[in-house]
Amino acid sequence: MSEVLSQSPLSPVAPVKPAPRVGFVSLGCPKALTDSELILTRLSAEGYQTSKTFEGADLVIVNTCGFIDDAVRESLDTIGEALAENGKVIVTGCLGAKTGDGGGNLVRQMHPSVLAVTGPHATQEVMDAVHLNLPKPHDPFVDLVPNAFGIAGIKLTPRHYAYLKISEGCNHRCTFCIIPSMRGDLVSRPVGDVLNEAQALFEGGVKELLVISQDTSAYGVDVKYRTGFWDGRPVKTRMLELVQAFGEIAAPFGAWVRLHYVYPYPSVDEILPLMATGKVLPYLDVPLQHSHPDVLKRMKRPANGEKNLERILRWREICPEIVIRSTFIAGFPGETESEFEHLLDFMREAKIDRAGCFAYSPVQGAAANKIPGMLPLQVREERRTRFMAVAEAVSSQKLHQRIGATMQVLVDHAPALGRKGGTGRSYADAPEIDGVVKLLPPEKISKTMKVGEFTRARIVGVQGHDLIGVPV
Ligand code: SF4
């Protein structure tokens, strides 16, 4: 008989009732083993204990292998043993995804009494089956935790999207910013760790990964783009390779990857084909802050020598559906009226889809405080208002162009299974900062929507920064 894994509980609180016990058998290759580790981590985090024997368990999970005939036989025999000795069995892993003679599921054909069958990389489905058949213990500690994502740790976002930080700190010294003095210079996380975390998040049910840092395009500069390892293969610590790998990891889960805080360096051009071919979302959050080269120099912005307008127009040629979000500062010290008008013209030509703007305000300790030409508050505020009027006109025009289109929408809110409508977001909307798609009740009575799932919606209207869609 295969050895049943044992693991001690993580909960620091002794449960009043004995904790439910799960027997676990892990067969197959190292990839199957990491699946087992993820499931065991989740079980442990939720207060389940593991049993060394089938008889001593309340339920048994068998993680199977379906690679060669011997492995199939061993897996089927183990399931048979677990059914004979325990009776309550959940099957996961590669064999779970195999079809038998006649087209049905092989495991179900051979062992019809198993409780549930999933394929590999199905931590959430396995956990759902466990919850259904062996309710999780009440533990005041772990019940406070909304989600556990294995090595990805606790996330405070809704379970269907998560932020993934790829580096800490920043090598730039923008004159209005004091972040580097608080967080230090750029330190990139090892590429293998970042990619493992992405994998764990998707396996935990995340449908949208939001990649964040202070300067995403500088990823790996601090380690000279050294080669790391992930999934047994070399991967450079560099934005292009990282984004390519994110796209690969997200694909089997049908999940989105969204990039934030990307500066307009020439190297970013290489990411655009990945957006044009759907590997990652055609969405870039590029904090530009201004358009006039002299203001950018006074700000000491990264990529301040670049021709940003030409770069953005080129991006739109490569990937016409790209949505660009940005933030700007109006009334920076020394900003002349013509420099400000340069910014308004830039907005009209670059057609930034989503823009935010701050009236400049001094930050204690920032170098910009010493730049001559501080403008009166009234001028700074008035420029911000003028900027937002242009930005909103551009944005509204772009939103109106979507009327009649059918878009994929990730559902964020859907009471009563969405029968009365709900809200969601398209690829053009990052959570918290952009608009939403307000979903009307579906036309078809049988159509339902669930939080964290995708639906398609036909866009029928615009309301402020939001779209209105009918689920189809
Ligand atoms: S790029 Fe500039 S604004 Fe951004 S964190 Fe670094 S210094 Fe601050």
Side-chain angles (χ1 to χ4, degrees):
M1 190 193 96
S2 316
E3 198 193 347
V4 180
L5 300 184
S6 170
Q7 194 185 35
S8 59
L10 289 181
S11 170
V13 178
V16 180
K17 284 200 290 182
R21 299 176 83 85
V22 177
F24 201 110
V25 184
S26 186
L27 304 168
C29 68
K31 273 179 249 154
L33 190 67
T34 55
D35 283 358
S36 298
E37 287 167 350
L38 278 170
I39 296 166
L40 284 165
T41 305
R42 287 283 303 274
L43 287 169
S44 184
E46 292 188 8
Y48 290 93
Q49 291 195 350
T50 45
S51 165
K52 286 190 175 196
T53 61
F54 287 151
E55 307 93 285
D58 298 299
L59 175 153
V60 175
I61 300 171
V62 183
N63 190 2
T64 58
C65 176
F67 188 47
I68 53 170
D69 286 353
D70 278 353
V72 171
R73 208 168 309 121
E74 185 191 15
S75 293
L76 289 172
D77 288 349
T78 306
I79 297 166
E81 252 181 81
L83 281 170
E85 291 182 43
N86 183 285
K88 291 175 84 176
V89 178
I90 293 168
V91 177
T92 184
C94 295
L95 187 64
K98 271 208 165 175
T99 44
D101 299 336
N105 181 279
L106 175 66
V107 173
R108 285 216 178 272
Q109 277 176 8
M110 303 299 289
H111 295 293
S113 60
V114 292
L115 299 173
V117 182
T118 83
H121 317 302
T123 308
Q124 188 54 45
E125 287 166 60
V126 172
M127 291 307 296
D128 290 346
V130 172
H131 294 152
L132 196 66
N133 293 286
L134 184 63
K136 68 175 178 173
H138 172 67
D139 180 326
F141 266 79
V142 295
D143 285 355
L144 286 175
V145 176
N147 288 305
F149 288 101
I151 56 157
I154 296 161
K155 298 286 166 189
L156 295 173
T157 42
R159 95 172 296 124
H160 60 285
Y161 66 81
Y163 296 95
L164 175 54
K165 191 186 274 189
I166 61 169
S167 60
E168 195 42 279
C170 178
N171 283 349
H172 303 293
R173 295 295 180 265
C174 300
T175 52
F176 55 81
C177 175
I178 57 166
I179 286 176
S181 67
M182 297 188 296
R183 303 216 180 141
D185 284 341
L186 177 81
V187 179
S188 300
R189 293 181 58 201
V191 69
D193 288 4
V194 171
L195 294 173
N196 281 336
E197 186 173 336
Q199 178 93 35
L201 288 167
F202 291 132
E203 285 174 355
V206 162
K207 289 287 180 226
E208 179 180 10
L209 186 73
L210 302 133
V211 180
I212 55 167
S213 67
Q214 301 299 334
D215 180 357
T216 297
S217 18
Y219 179 64
V221 167
D222 54 318
V223 293
K224 301 192 170 55
Y225 307 118
R226 87 170 152 229
T227 300
F229 281 88
W230 176 71
D231 200 23
R233 64 175 160 109
V235 184
K236 266 194 165 186
T237 312
R238 196 168 62 164
M239 186 189 179
L240 174 63
E241 284 78 358
L242 182 75
V243 174
Q244 270 166 341
F246 279 147
E248 276 174 42
I249 300 172
F253 299 92
W256 286 349
V257 176
R258 192 185 291 282
L259 303 179
H260 288 276
Y261 313 117
V262 176
Y263 289 108
Y265 294 109
S267 59
V268 176
D269 295 3
E270 297 171 341
I271 307 291
L272 269 289
L274 299 176
M275 296 185 167
T277 52
K279 303 280 189 304
V280 295
L281 289 184
Y283 176 102
L284 268 183
D285 176 3
V286 192
L288 292 164
Q289 309 302 4
H290 212 282
S291 64
H292 196 285
D294 293 345
V295 181
L296 290 170
K297 283 204 180 79
R298 290 202 291 280
M299 289 178 166
K300 285 206 181 156
R301 289 297 287 162
N304 63 39
E306 303 299 330
K307 295 190 161 88
N308 289 342
L309 181 59
E310 283 85 337
R311 167 132 295 116
I312 287 168
L313 296 179
R314 170 106 188 92
W315 288 349
R316 294 204 190 280
E317 266 170 36
I318 304 170
C319 180
E321 64 272 35
I322 191 169
V323 161
I324 298 173
R325 137 158 293 275
S326 190
T327 47
F328 295 88
I329 296 174
F332 190 73
E335 184 189 62
T336 62
E337 175 62 24
S338 78
E339 284 169 346
F340 175 66
E341 278 172 16
H342 185 281
L343 175 58
L344 297 185
D345 289 343
F346 170 84
M347 276 302 294
R348 291 183 193 104
E349 282 185 70
K351 298 200 189 314
I352 301 296
D353 302 71
R354 305 277 195 186
C357 182
F358 298 99
Y360 177 76
S361 96
V363 174
Q364 206 180 5
N369 299 345
K370 299 199 180 91
I371 295 175
M374 180 68 169
L375 298 170
L377 179 62
Q378 196 193 346
V379 175
R380 286 179 268 148
E381 289 290 352
E382 179 249 1
R383 286 187 185 171
R384 189 195 96 85
T385 307
R386 283 164 65 200
F387 176 94
M388 285 313 297
V390 174
E392 274 162 19
V394 169
S395 178
S396 170
Q397 189 199 8
K398 294 206 131 191
L399 288 174
H400 277 89
Q401 285 168 358
R402 298 211 181 269
I403 293 178
T406 299
M407 301 184 82
Q408 192 189 27
V409 173
L410 181 57
V411 177
D412 285 327
H413 182 65
L417 288 175
R419 290 203 175 86
K420 293 180 182 161
T423 54
R425 290 173 295 104
S426 75
Y427 80 92
D429 314 308
E432 312 291 336
I433 52 173
D434 294 327
V436 297
V437 181
K438 292 183 174 168
L439 295 164
L440 298 173
E443 273 168 359
K444 263 201 228 150
I445 199 97
S446 58
K447 165 119 183 130
T448 57
M449 292 184 285
K450 272 202 196 137
V451 172
E453 291 186 356
F454 290 102
T455 187
R456 295 189 70 75
R458 196 177 66 253
I459 305 304
V460 294
V462 176
Q463 195 175 67
H465 298 285
D466 303 327
L467 293 174
I468 299 176
V470 180
V472 291

